Amino acid sequence: MATPRDAHTEVPHALLRRPVRDIASGTEGTLMAVLVENTAAVGLPERWAEIAYVRPVGGGRELSTAVANIEAV
């Protein structure tokens, strides 16, 4: 598959800059960005997905997760 034209760029999302929960880990925080990224392991065919970045409540290192794992708090 060819690289998507919008690869590694920010994707609009209704919950951007709002409180969210990552249902996979239970982490709550602020949705900082959603990016289109290649999630395939090295040496495997490309696999493009929308990845959400959540900054935990109180700050700290942002967590990345599939955008489907994000819900409003």
Side-chain angles (χ1 to χ4, degrees):
M1 177 177 155
T3 303
R5 184 173 53 87
D6 58 350
H8 307 293
T9 59
E10 194 165 347
V11 176
H13 194 281
L15 296 175
L16 198 60
R17 308 278 187 256
R18 297 186 182 271
V20 296
R21 176 181 302 111
D22 170 26
I23 59 174
S25 69
T27 301
E28 292 187 6
T30 303
L31 180 61
M32 301 306 294
V34 176
L35 302 176
V36 176
E37 295 183 359
N38 181 2
T39 59
V42 174
L44 294 179
E46 293 178 345
R47 188 173 132 200
W48 295 91
E50 291 184 352
I51 305 297
Y53 288 86
V54 177
R55 181 171 295 156
V57 174
R61 189 174 196 163
E62 290 179 4
L63 140 83
S64 61
T65 189
V67 76
N69 288 343
I70 299 299
E71 64 182 11
V73 176

Coordinates of all heavy atoms in Angstrom, one line a residue:
M1 N 0.8 -1.2 0.0 CA 0.0 0.0 0.0 C 0.9 1.2 0.0 O 1.9 1.3 0.7 CB -0.9 0.0 1.2 CG -1.7 1.2 1.4 SD -2.8 1.0 2.9 CE -3.1 2.7 3.2
A2 N 0.5 2.2 -0.8 CA 1.3 3.5 -0.8 C 1.0 4.3 0.5 O 0.0 4.1 1.1 CB 0.8 4.3 -2.0
T3 N 1.9 5.1 0.8 CA 1.8 6.0 2.0 C 0.6 6.9 1.8 O 0.5 7.6 0.7 CB 3.1 6.8 2.2 OG1 4.1 5.9 2.4 CG2 2.9 7.7 3.4
P4 N -0.3 7.0 2.7 CA -1.5 7.9 2.6 C -0.9 9.3 2.4 O 0.1 9.7 3.0 CB -2.2 7.8 3.9 CG -1.9 6.4 4.4 CD -0.4 6.2 4.0
R5 N -1.7 10.1 1.7 CA -1.3 11.5 1.4 C -1.2 12.3 2.7 O -0.4 13.2 2.9 CB -2.3 12.2 0.5 CG -1.9 13.6 0.1 CD -2.9 14.1 -1.0 NE -4.3 14.0 -0.7 CZ -5.0 14.9 0.0 NH1 -4.4 16.0 0.4 NH2 -6.2 14.7 0.3
D6 N -2.0 12.0 3.7 CA -2.1 12.7 5.0 C -1.3 12.0 6.1 O -1.6 12.3 7.3 CB -3.5 13.0 5.4 CG -4.4 11.7 5.5 OD1 -3.9 10.6 5.1 OD2 -5.5 11.8 6.0
A7 N -0.4 11.1 5.7 CA 0.4 10.4 6.8 C 1.1 11.3 7.7 O 1.7 12.3 7.2 CB 1.3 9.4 6.1
H8 N 1.1 11.0 9.0 CA 1.8 11.8 10.0 C 1.3 13.2 10.2 O 2.1 14.1 10.6 CB 3.3 11.7 9.8 CG 3.8 10.3 9.6 ND1 3.9 9.4 10.6 CD2 4.4 9.7 8.5 CE1 4.3 8.3 10.2 NE2 4.6 8.4 8.9
T9 N 0.1 13.4 9.8 CA -0.5 14.7 10.0 C -1.7 14.6 10.9 O -2.3 13.5 11.1 CB -1.0 15.4 8.7 OG1 -2.0 14.5 8.1 CG2 0.1 15.6 7.7
E10 N -2.0 15.7 11.6 CA -3.1 15.7 12.5 C -4.5 15.6 11.9 O -4.7 16.1 10.8 CB -3.1 17.0 13.4 CG -3.9 16.9 14.6 CD -3.6 18.0 15.6 OE1 -2.6 18.7 15.5 OE2 -4.4 18.1 16.5
V11 N -5.3 14.8 12.5 CA -6.7 14.5 12.0 C -7.6 15.2 12.9 O -7.5 15.1 14.2 CB -6.9 13.0 12.0 CG1 -8.3 12.6 11.6 CG2 -5.9 12.2 11.1
P12 N -8.7 15.9 12.4 CA -9.7 16.5 13.3 C -10.4 15.4 14.1 O -10.6 14.3 13.6 CB -10.6 17.2 12.3 CG -9.9 17.2 11.0 CD -8.9 16.1 11.0
H13 N -10.8 15.8 15.3 CA -11.5 14.8 16.2 C -12.4 15.7 17.1 O -12.0 16.7 17.6 CB -10.6 14.0 17.0 CG -11.3 12.8 17.6 ND1 -12.0 12.9 18.8 CD2 -11.3 11.5 17.2 CE1 -12.5 11.7 19.1 NE2 -12.1 10.8 18.2
A14 N -13.6 15.2 17.3 CA -14.6 16.0 18.1 C -14.2 16.1 19.6 O -14.6 17.1 20.2 CB -16.0 15.2 18.1
L15 N -13.3 15.2 20.1 CA -12.9 15.3 21.5 C -11.6 16.0 21.7 O -11.1 16.0 22.8 CB -12.9 13.9 22.1 CG -14.3 13.2 22.2 CD1 -14.1 11.8 22.7 CD2 -15.3 14.0 23.0
L16 N -11.0 16.5 20.7 CA -9.7 17.2 20.8 C -9.7 18.3 21.9 O -10.6 19.1 21.9 CB -9.3 17.8 19.4 CG -7.9 18.1 19.2 CD1 -7.0 16.9 19.4 CD2 -7.7 18.7 17.8
R17 N -8.7 18.2 22.7 CA -8.5 19.2 23.9 C -9.6 19.0 24.9 O -9.8 19.9 25.7 CB -8.5 20.6 23.4 CG -7.5 20.9 22.3 CD -6.1 21.1 22.8 NE -5.2 21.5 21.8 CZ -4.3 20.7 21.2 NH1 -4.2 19.4 21.6 NH2 -3.5 21.1 20.3
R18 N -10.3 17.9 25.0 CA -11.3 17.6 26.0 C -10.9 16.4 26.8 O -10.1 15.6 26.4 CB -12.7 17.3 25.3 CG -13.2 18.5 24.5 CD -14.6 18.2 24.0 NE -15.1 19.3 23.1 CZ -15.8 20.3 23.6 NH1 -16.0 20.4 24.9 NH2 -16.2 21.3 22.8
P19 N -11.5 16.3 28.0 CA -11.3 15.2 28.9 C -11.8 13.9 28.3 O -12.9 13.8 27.8 CB -12.0 15.5 30.2 CG -12.4 16.9 30.1 CD -12.4 17.3 28.7
V20 N -10.9 12.9 28.2 CA -11.2 11.5 27.7 C -10.7 10.4 28.6 O -9.9 10.7 29.5 CB -10.6 11.4 26.2 CG1 -11.2 12.4 25.3 CG2 -9.1 11.5 26.2
R21 N -11.1 9.2 28.3 CA -10.6 8.0 28.9 C -10.2 7.0 27.8 O -10.9 6.8 26.9 CB -11.7 7.4 29.8 CG -11.2 6.1 30.4 CD -12.4 5.4 31.3 NE -12.8 6.3 32.3 CZ -14.0 6.9 32.3 NH1 -14.9 6.6 31.4 NH2 -14.4 7.6 33.3
D22 N -9.0 6.4 28.0 CA -8.6 5.3 27.2 C -9.1 4.1 27.7 O -8.8 3.6 28.8 CB -7.0 5.3 27.1 CG -6.5 4.0 26.5 OD1 -7.2 3.5 25.6 OD2 -5.4 3.6 26.8
I23 N -10.1 3.4 27.1 CA -10.8 2.3 27.6 C -9.8 1.1 27.7 O -10.1 0.2 28.5 CB -12.0 1.9 26.8 CG1 -11.7 1.6 25.4 CG2 -13.1 3.0 26.9 CD1 -12.9 1.1 24.6
A24 N -8.8 1.0 27.0 CA -7.8 -0.1 27.0 C -7.0 -0.1 28.3 O -6.8 -1.1 28.9 CB -6.9 -0.1 25.9
S25 N -6.6 1.1 28.8 CA -5.8 1.2 30.0 C -6.5 1.8 31.2 O -6.0 1.7 32.3 CB -4.5 2.0 29.7 OG -4.9 3.4 29.5
G26 N -7.6 2.5 31.0 CA -8.3 3.2 32.0 C -7.8 4.6 32.3 O -8.3 5.3 33.2
T27 N -6.7 5.0 31.6 CA -6.1 6.3 31.8 C -7.0 7.4 31.4 O -7.7 7.3 30.3 CB -4.8 6.4 31.0 OG1 -3.9 5.4 31.4 CG2 -4.1 7.7 31.2
E28 N -7.2 8.4 32.2 CA -7.9 9.6 31.9 C -7.0 10.8 31.7 O -6.0 10.9 32.3 CB -8.9 9.9 33.0 CG -10.0 8.9 33.1 CD -11.1 9.3 34.1 OE1 -11.1 10.4 34.7 OE2 -12.0 8.4 34.4
G29 N -7.4 11.7 30.8 CA -6.6 12.8 30.5 C -7.2 13.7 29.4 O -8.4 13.6 29.2
T30 N -6.4 14.4 28.7 CA -6.8 15.3 27.7 C -6.4 14.8 26.3 O -5.2 14.4 26.2 CB -6.2 16.7 27.9 OG1 -6.6 17.2 29.1 CG2 -6.7 17.7 26.8
L31 N -7.3 14.7 25.3 CA -6.9 14.3 24.0 C -6.1 15.4 23.4 O -6.7 16.5 23.1 CB -8.1 13.9 23.2 CG -7.9 13.5 21.7 CD1 -7.0 12.2 21.7 CD2 -9.2 13.2 21.0
M32 N -4.8 15.2 23.1 CA -4.0 16.2 22.6 C -3.9 16.2 21.0 O -3.7 17.2 20.4 CB -2.6 16.1 23.2 CG -2.5 16.2 24.7 SD -3.3 17.7 25.3 CE -2.2 18.9 24.7
A33 N -4.0 15.0 20.4 CA -3.9 14.9 19.0 C -4.3 13.6 18.5 O -4.3 12.6 19.3 CB -2.4 15.2 18.5
V34 N -4.7 13.5 17.2 CA -4.9 12.2 16.5 C -4.1 12.3 15.3 O -4.3 13.3 14.5 CB -6.4 12.0 16.2 CG1 -6.6 10.8 15.4 CG2 -7.3 12.0 17.5
L35 N -3.3 11.3 15.0 CA -2.4 11.3 13.9 C -2.6 10.0 13.1 O -2.9 9.0 13.6 CB -0.9 11.4 14.3 CG -0.5 12.6 15.1 CD1 1.0 12.4 15.5 CD2 -0.7 13.9 14.4
V36 N -2.4 10.1 11.8 CA -2.3 8.9 10.9 C -0.9 8.4 10.9 O 0.0 9.1 10.6 CB -2.8 9.3 9.5 CG1 -2.6 8.0 8.6 CG2 -4.2 9.8 9.5
E37 N -0.7 7.1 11.4 CA 0.6 6.6 11.5 C 0.7 5.1 11.0 O -0.3 4.4 11.0 CB 1.1 6.6 13.0 CG 1.2 7.9 13.6 CD 1.7 7.9 15.0 OE1 2.0 6.8 15.5 OE2 1.9 9.0 15.5
N38 N 1.9 4.7 10.6 CA 2.1 3.3 10.2 C 2.3 2.5 11.4 O 3.3 2.8 12.1 CB 3.3 3.3 9.2 CG 3.6 1.9 8.8 OD1 2.9 0.9 9.1 ND2 4.7 1.7 8.0
T39 N 1.5 1.6 11.7 CA 1.6 0.8 13.0 C 2.2 -0.6 12.8 O 2.2 -1.4 13.7 CB 0.2 0.7 13.6 OG1 -0.7 0.0 12.7 CG2 -0.4 2.1 14.0
A40 N 2.6 -0.9 11.6 CA 3.2 -2.2 11.3 C 4.6 -2.4 11.9 O 5.3 -1.4 12.0 CB 3.3 -2.4 9.8
A41 N 4.9 -3.6 12.3 CA 6.2 -3.9 12.8 C 7.2 -3.8 11.6 O 6.9 -3.9 10.4 CB 6.3 -5.3 13.4
V42 N 8.5 -3.5 11.9 CA 9.5 -3.4 10.9 C 9.6 -4.6 10.1 O 9.5 -5.8 10.6 CB 10.9 -3.2 11.6 CG1 12.0 -3.2 10.6 CG2 10.9 -1.9 12.4
G43 N 9.7 -4.4 8.8 CA 9.8 -5.6 7.9 C 8.4 -6.1 7.4 O 8.4 -7.0 6.5
L44 N 7.3 -5.7 8.0 CA 6.0 -6.1 7.5 C 5.3 -5.1 6.7 O 5.7 -3.9 6.7 CB 5.1 -6.4 8.8 CG 5.6 -7.6 9.7 CD1 4.7 -7.7 10.8 CD2 5.7 -8.8 8.9
P45 N 4.3 -5.5 5.9 CA 3.6 -4.5 5.1 C 3.0 -3.3 5.9 O 2.7 -3.5 7.1 CB 2.5 -5.3 4.4 CG 2.9 -6.7 4.5 CD 3.8 -6.8 5.8
E46 N 3.0 -2.2 5.3 CA 2.5 -1.0 6.0 C 1.0 -1.2 6.5 O 0.2 -1.9 5.8 CB 2.5 0.2 5.1 CG 3.9 0.7 4.8 CD 3.9 1.9 3.8 OE1 2.9 2.2 3.2 OE2 5.0 2.5 3.7
R47 N 0.7 -0.7 7.6 CA -0.7 -0.7 8.2 C -1.0 0.6 8.8 O -0.4 0.9 9.9 CB -0.7 -1.8 9.2 CG -2.1 -2.1 9.7 CD -2.1 -3.3 10.6 NE -2.8 -3.0 11.8 CZ -2.8 -3.6 12.9 NH1 -1.9 -4.6 13.0 NH2 -3.5 -3.3 13.9
W48 N -1.8 1.4 8.1 CA -2.0 2.8 8.6 C -3.2 2.9 9.5 O -4.2 2.2 9.2 CB -2.2 3.7 7.3 CG -0.9 3.8 6.6 CD1 -0.5 3.0 5.6 CD2 0.2 4.7 6.9 NE1 0.8 3.3 5.2 CE2 1.2 4.3 5.9 CE3 0.4 5.7 7.8 CZ2 2.4 5.0 5.9 CZ3 1.6 6.4 7.7 CH2 2.6 6.0 6.8
A49 N -3.1 3.6 10.6 CA -4.2 3.7 11.5 C -4.2 5.1 12.1 O -3.2 5.8 12.2 CB -4.0 2.7 12.6
E50 N -5.4 5.5 12.7 CA -5.5 6.8 13.4 C -5.1 6.5 14.9 O -5.7 5.6 15.5 CB -6.9 7.4 13.3 CG -7.2 7.9 11.9 CD -8.5 8.5 11.8 OE1 -9.3 8.5 12.8 OE2 -8.8 9.1 10.8
I51 N -4.1 7.2 15.4 CA -3.6 7.0 16.7 C -3.9 8.2 17.5 O -3.6 9.4 17.1 CB -2.1 6.7 16.7 CG1 -1.7 5.5 15.8 CG2 -1.5 6.5 18.1 CD1 -2.3 4.2 16.2
A52 N -4.5 8.0 18.7 CA -4.8 9.1 19.6 C -3.7 9.3 20.7 O -3.1 8.3 21.1 CB -6.1 8.9 20.3
Y53 N -3.4 10.5 21.0 CA -2.4 10.9 22.1 C -3.1 11.6 23.2 O -3.7 12.6 23.0 CB -1.3 11.7 21.5 CG -0.4 10.9 20.6 CD1 -0.7 10.8 19.2 CD2 0.7 10.3 21.1 CE1 0.1 10.0 18.4 CE2 1.5 9.6 20.3 CZ 1.2 9.4 18.9 OH 2.0 8.7 18.1
V54 N -3.0 10.9 24.4 CA -3.7 11.4 25.6 C -2.7 11.9 26.6 O -1.8 11.1 27.0 CB -4.6 10.3 26.2 CG1 -5.3 10.8 27.5 CG2 -5.7 9.9 25.1
R55 N -2.8 13.1 27.1 CA -1.9 13.6 28.2 C -2.7 13.3 29.5 O -3.8 13.8 29.8 CB -1.7 15.1 28.1 CG -0.8 15.6 29.2 CD -0.3 17.0 29.0 NE 0.5 17.0 27.7 CZ 0.7 18.1 27.0 NH1 0.1 19.2 27.3 NH2 1.4 18.1 25.9
P56 N -2.1 12.5 30.4 CA -2.7 12.1 31.7 C -3.1 13.3 32.5 O -2.4 14.4 32.5 CB -1.7 11.3 32.4 CG -0.8 10.8 31.3 CD -0.7 11.9 30.3
V57 N -4.1 13.2 33.4 CA -4.5 14.2 34.3 C -3.2 14.5 35.2 O -2.6 13.5 35.7 CB -5.7 13.8 35.2 CG1 -5.9 14.8 36.3 CG2 -6.9 13.6 34.3
G58 N -2.9 15.7 35.4 CA -1.7 16.0 36.2 C -0.4 16.1 35.4 O 0.6 16.4 36.0
G59 N -0.5 15.9 34.1 CA 0.6 16.0 33.3 C 1.4 14.7 33.1 O 0.9 13.6 33.5
G60 N 2.5 14.8 32.5 CA 3.4 13.6 32.3 C 3.4 13.2 30.9 O 3.0 13.9 30.0
R61 N 4.0 12.0 30.7 CA 4.2 11.5 29.3 C 2.9 11.1 28.7 O 2.0 10.4 29.3 CB 5.1 10.3 29.4 CG 5.5 9.8 28.1 CD 6.6 8.7 28.2 NE 7.3 8.5 27.0 CZ 8.4 7.9 26.9 NH1 9.0 7.4 27.9 NH2 8.9 7.8 25.7
E62 N 2.7 11.5 27.4 CA 1.4 11.2 26.7 C 1.4 9.7 26.4 O 2.4 9.1 26.1 CB 1.3 12.1 25.4 CG 1.0 13.5 25.7 CD 0.9 14.4 24.5 OE1 1.0 13.9 23.4 OE2 0.8 15.6 24.7
L63 N 0.2 9.2 26.4 CA -0.1 7.8 26.1 C -0.6 7.8 24.7 O -1.4 8.6 24.3 CB -1.1 7.3 27.1 CG -2.2 6.3 26.7 CD1 -1.6 4.9 26.6 CD2 -3.3 6.4 27.7
S64 N -0.2 6.8 23.9 CA -0.8 6.6 22.5 C -1.7 5.4 22.6 O -1.4 4.4 23.2 CB 0.3 6.5 21.5 OG 1.1 5.3 21.7
T65 N -2.8 5.4 21.8 CA -3.8 4.4 21.8 C -4.6 4.5 20.5 O -4.6 5.5 19.8 CB -4.7 4.4 23.0 OG1 -5.5 3.2 23.0 CG2 -5.6 5.6 23.0
A66 N -5.3 3.4 20.1 CA -6.1 3.5 18.9 C -7.2 4.5 19.2 O -7.8 4.6 20.3 CB -6.7 2.1 18.6
V67 N -7.6 5.3 18.2 CA -8.6 6.3 18.3 C -10.0 5.7 18.7 O -10.7 6.3 19.4 CB -8.7 7.2 17.1 CG1 -9.5 6.5 16.0 CG2 -9.4 8.5 17.4
A68 N -10.2 4.4 18.4 CA -11.4 3.7 18.8 C -11.5 3.5 20.3 O -12.6 3.2 20.8 CB -11.5 2.4 18.0
N69 N -10.4 3.5 21.0 CA -10.3 3.3 22.4 C -10.7 4.6 23.2 O -10.6 4.5 24.5 CB -9.0 2.8 22.9 CG -8.7 1.4 22.4 OD1 -9.6 0.7 22.1 ND2 -7.4 1.0 22.4
I70 N -10.9 5.7 22.6 CA -11.1 6.9 23.3 C -12.6 7.2 23.5 O -13.4 7.0 22.6 CB -10.6 8.1 22.5 CG1 -9.1 7.9 22.3 CG2 -10.9 9.5 23.2 CD1 -8.3 7.9 23.6
E71 N -13.0 7.6 24.8 CA -14.4 7.9 25.1 C -14.3 9.2 25.9 O -13.4 9.5 26.7 CB -15.1 6.8 25.8 CG -14.6 6.5 27.2 CD -15.3 5.3 27.8 OE1 -16.1 4.7 27.2 OE2 -15.1 5.1 29.0
A72 N -15.4 10.0 25.8 CA -15.5 11.2 26.6 C -15.6 10.9 28.1 O -16.2 9.9 28.4 CB -16.7 12.1 26.1
V73 N -15.1 11.7 29.0 CA -15.3 11.5 30.4 C -16.3 12.5 30.9 O -16.4 13.6 30.5 CB -13.9 11.9 31.2 CG1 -14.1 11.8 32.7 CG2 -12.9 10.9 30.7

